[in-house]
Amino acid sequence: LARQGYPVTRLGFVASIDDALQQILQVGALTDTLDQATALTTRLQTGMRASQTRLQPVLAGHTAIFFSNNGVVYGSGTLQDSFLHSLGMHNVAADAGLTGPGQLALETVVAAAPDFIFSHPGATLDQQLAHPLLMHPVWLQLAPASRRIPLQDTWFDCAGPRLLRAYQALEEALL
């Protein structure tokens, strides 16, 4: 498009909740819909704050890890890390020194004994690495089903209005 003379704006990966909200405003400004983007970010902030207020008494001080397809976990500098911090939680992957998405040795994760494991809901006959690993007896012993909570990857991959759904799903699972 740029070679054809069209303006192109590249948006980076969001690394925090604030980044996600800023990108919504940026897109609003670029598309001449800033008023709508501002209203949307206000609704999202209000919804997220309300969820955080309800969830923090249950989750603050606990440890967690996001475990995604192919064994990917999310360390510091990720939206997942920002999400955990917004709830007063500690990110096992960040505490292990991981920055960004990557992999940690299963032994490292097991030794950290996260209080909660968040992962994309598995599908029937799921062949992705994360879900068969999460069915390993060590995981089942480490984190009972009540502590393994499905949160869709897309709520974090395509940050924006879907991020509020992650908070709502966590409330549905825990409160």
Side-chain angles (χ1 to χ4, degrees):
L1 291 174
R3 285 184 276 174
Q4 298 297 320
Y6 292 98
V8 174
T9 301
R10 289 184 172 88
L11 302 175
F13 290 104
V14 297
S16 69
I17 293 166
D18 287 340
D19 286 353
L21 297 171
Q22 282 304 117
Q23 277 194 2
I24 292 170
L25 294 173
Q26 184 180 4
V27 170
L30 289 168
T31 58
D32 224 11
T33 58
L34 188 54
D35 289 345
Q36 292 160 319
T38 301
L40 174 60
T41 58
T42 299
R43 282 194 311 273
L44 290 173
Q45 287 174 314
T46 300
M48 287 188 285
R49 279 192 205 113
S51 288
Q52 290 162 356
T53 298
R54 290 185 292 269
L55 287 165
Q56 283 174 350
V58 176
L59 296 174
H62 286 283
T63 59
I65 192 164
F66 274 86
F67 203 68
S68 190
N69 292 336
N70 298 317
V72 172
V73 297
Y74 296 88
S76 62
T78 63
L79 183 56
Q80 290 84 345
D81 185 58
S82 180
F83 177 81
L84 293 176
H85 283 281
S86 78
L87 298 168
M89 300 183 81
H90 300 279
N91 182 352
V92 166
D95 291 348
L98 183 67
T99 300
Q103 293 183 325
L104 288 180
L106 184 59
E107 294 81 4
T108 301
V109 178
V110 170
D115 297 317
F116 293 92
I117 299 170
F118 302 130
S119 66
H120 188 77
T124 305
L125 303 175
D126 193 341
Q127 296 301 310
Q128 298 294 332
L129 180 59
H131 300 113
L133 279 176
L134 289 173
M135 293 299 108
H136 190 283
V138 73
W139 284 111
L140 300 177
Q141 183 178 352
L142 177 68
S146 63
R147 300 270 179 150
R148 287 181 277 127
I149 299 174
L151 296 177
Q152 292 185 24
D153 289 340
T154 56
W155 295 338
F156 298 91
D157 295 342
C158 301
R162 292 181 178 185
L163 185 55
L164 180 56
R165 184 65 190 113
Y167 287 98
Q168 293 166 337
L170 198 49
E171 285 189 83
E172 291 166 10
L174 295 174
L175 302 179

